[in-house]
Amino acid sequence: MIPMSGMVKDALDAGREAMLRHDWEEARRLLSEADAARTLDAPGLRELGKALDWCGDPVGCLDALERAYAGFVASGERRRAAEVALMLRHHSVNCLPNVSAARGWGQRAERLLEGEPECLELGLLWRLQGRKAFAEGKPEEGMALLQRAIELGNRLANANLVAMSMGWLGSCLASMGRASEAFSYLDEACAAAVGGELGPWTTGVLYCNTIAAYREAGEFAIASEWTQTAGRWCQRESITGFPGICRVHRAEFMRLRGAWADAEVEARRASGELQGTMPSFAGEAYYEVGEIRLRMGDLEGADKAFRQAHGLGRDPQPGAAVVLVAQGQPAAALRSLETTIAAKELGLMDEMRCLTAQVEIACELGQLDLAEHAAQRVETLAEGQNGLGLQVLAVQARGTIQLTRSDPEGPRTVRRALRLWQEINAPYEEALTRL
């Protein structure tokens, strides 16, 4: 490192102050100037990486963090090197994506923390290992690790570690269908975010995970409330990246309420914000554009958007199947749905939506055995779920079969579905049900 001039030192200090007040663009400019003068140490490079991340520059962010990691290793600061390794793992998963690099960074963090006493970095590692255990089908191990991280965060009085660990525990429990337990953790963690107790990165992740969990459970009203809260926070803190994710959720709920034009503006803006930084979420944005275009009767536009979503890793079902039906290809639509459902890679909400579409198309083709099987699966998935967004799909699937079979109970069942859509305040789905 060359001697630091007074001007460069002022730029470095000003850059760090800009980070504290969340002026990300100014922080990026100032810290980049200090970096160009080769005056940034490892902590400074870490701050530069964070600033570049908030400004939507994933390549620059990774470069700065990799250099920060090397600096901490060279100075023998194992804990800080482990923390940066975990940051690099996160970015490798969400921004590249690069699974092998993510695995390598996770392993480096574990190695660096071997034999270390209790510390914040160890809690961050336990949080990662807990999520990993859930993903590998070991929920008890995952719960134990995340609870351990929460307890450590409380002992260290680190609100970010506590809230993030609670948030991931809630998300993991929600994915297992244990909604009441999950929402208790998520709501408490988000209360800390609303109260201003947490840093911006933790706050953004919590909002995103909480909205996704409520949406997946069919609790559209609560998910919409958290979406609005998150949107206000993003605007207040000049957050990029997270606003894109929030915009995807906001677009979905606007589309559900019938505000299609406004929803499309939000979804397209989200796709632009996310495509270079978080491609998987950009895929969600394009999928939402497809759903909107479909409702507007623009089959070509819907098909294009679903293909863009697919190219970014988002399964385009059930929207793509609905396009095929509208194009006069119901058999192809049914095959595409069967492939998606058989892959078992969907979340609860999207699996139920695909199954409901399968019921409708199979009934149209006279394949009532397939329709019955799909309807029973939807009903099984809806058992024990309180969210109206899930319950209505099961009722709708059963009503479709009953009407196809001229079952006298059919009109009663469909009227129940209509009441549920009205309670959800989904005018398009209400109109389809009336039809």
Side-chain angles (χ1 to χ4, degrees):
M1 183 181 296
I2 64 175
M4 187 182 301
S5 70
M7 185 176 295
V8 172
K9 185 178 186 301
D10 289 344
L12 178 56
D13 291 340
R16 287 170 171 160
E17 290 173 4
M19 287 292 289
L20 290 175
R21 64 176 184 270
H22 303 170
D23 188 344
W24 314 116
E25 285 292 346
E26 181 70 359
R28 178 199 58 76
R29 184 183 67 80
L30 292 165
L31 291 171
S32 294
E33 288 177 5
D35 187 38
R38 294 189 296 164
T39 58
L40 286 186
D41 56 6
L45 287 167
R46 181 180 57 187
E47 289 304 297
L48 173 60
K50 291 179 181 179
L52 291 167
D53 182 31
W54 287 118
C55 292
D57 182 357
V59 175
C61 169
L62 287 168
D63 175 72
L65 291 180
E66 286 167 355
R67 289 186 288 139
Y69 170 82
F72 283 130
V73 169
S75 61
E77 298 178 80
R78 296 173 63 87
R79 292 182 186 175
R80 300 179 93 177
E83 179 191 12
V84 175
L86 291 171
M87 293 169 68
L88 283 161
R89 181 199 174 278
H90 167 81
H91 287 288
S92 295
V93 169
N94 291 287
C95 301
L96 294 180
N98 188 328
V99 175
S100 58
R103 184 168 56 247
W105 285 119
Q107 291 170 348
R108 285 305 302 147
E110 290 182 35
R111 188 84 63 189
L112 287 162
L113 292 172
E114 284 179 359
E116 291 289 330
E118 284 192 348
C119 57
L120 169 63
E121 294 78 12
L122 200 54
L124 298 175
L125 179 62
W126 291 342
R127 189 182 71 199
L128 167 64
Q129 292 172 333
R131 291 176 56 201
K132 183 179 177 184
F134 268 104
E136 293 174 348
K138 297 179 282 189
E140 296 307 318
E141 180 182 336
M143 285 189 67
L145 283 163
L146 287 167
Q147 289 285 8
R148 199 173 168 191
I150 293 168
E151 292 164 6
L152 177 59
N154 283 321
R155 287 196 295 275
L156 298 176
N158 189 291
N160 286 309
L161 176 57
V162 172
M164 184 67 83
S165 302
M166 291 180 71
W168 281 120
L169 181 53
S171 293
C172 291
L173 289 170
S175 70
M176 298 170 60
R178 295 164 64 172
S180 59
E181 294 174 78
F183 297 148
S184 174
Y185 285 110
L186 288 167
D187 287 345
E188 184 177 346
C190 278
V194 171
E197 300 175 38
L198 310 177
W201 190 81
T202 301
T203 299
V205 173
L206 274 175
Y207 280 149
C208 183
N209 289 347
T210 298
I211 293 165
Y214 274 113
R215 180 260 185 196
E216 191 73 0
E219 297 284 2
F220 292 147
I222 303 174
S224 182
E225 290 170 4
W226 278 122
T227 300
Q228 296 305 314
T229 301
R232 289 194 299 272
W233 170 78
C234 288
Q235 186 174 22
R236 183 174 67 246
E237 302 296 345
S238 301
I239 302 294
T240 58
F242 281 122
I245 300 169
C246 292
R247 272 188 243 286
V248 175
H249 294 309
R250 188 155 58 245
E252 180 176 11
F253 296 122
M254 292 168 74
R255 184 253 301 165
L256 191 67
R257 303 287 184 260
W260 295 341
D262 292 339
E264 184 170 6
V265 170
E266 287 289 277
R268 290 194 181 278
R269 187 175 175 187
S271 67
E273 289 176 339
L274 294 167
Q275 188 149 358
T277 57
M278 303 180 104
S280 61
F281 284 103
E284 290 291 341
Y286 280 116
Y287 181 83
E288 192 55 41
V289 171
E291 288 280 8
I292 296 163
R293 288 280 102 199
L294 188 59
R295 281 157 175 73
M296 291 181 169
D298 178 10
L299 296 183
E300 183 178 347
D303 183 58
K304 178 181 177 181
F306 289 138
R307 289 178 185 277
Q308 288 172 306
H310 196 197
L312 291 167
R314 203 288 189 190
D315 193 300
Q317 303 300 346
V322 178
V323 170
L324 286 171
V325 171
Q327 293 172 336
Q329 303 179 67
L334 201 57
R335 287 194 300 272
S336 66
L337 284 170
E338 289 171 347
T339 300
T340 291
I341 294 166
K344 299 185 182 300
E345 294 176 350
L346 298 173
L348 178 61
M349 170 64 72
D350 289 328
E351 181 180 359
M352 291 181 67
R353 290 183 65 221
C354 283
L355 286 164
T356 303
Q358 188 178 46
V359 169
E360 293 171 356
I361 299 169
C363 284
E364 180 180 332
L365 294 175
Q367 299 184 30
L368 295 187
D369 288 343
L370 175 59
E372 179 62 36
H373 176 77
Q376 289 178 4
R377 176 61 179 159
V378 174
E379 290 167 333
T380 298
L381 290 172
E383 286 179 7
Q385 301 290 341
N386 295 322
L388 296 183
L390 301 182
Q391 290 295 324
V392 70
L393 294 175
V395 176
Q396 182 175 311
R398 177 54 55 195
T400 299
I401 291 178
Q402 289 174 334
L403 288 180
T404 302
R405 289 175 168 163
S406 300
D407 186 327
E409 285 296 309
R412 189 193 308 273
T413 304
V414 175
R415 277 195 285 272
R416 183 183 167 208
L418 175 61
R419 288 193 295 272
L420 289 171
W421 284 124
Q422 288 172 327
E423 191 169 345
I424 291 169
N425 187 21
Y428 179 77
E429 285 73 14
E430 177 187 338
L432 284 181
T433 306
R434 288 184 183 279
L435 182 63

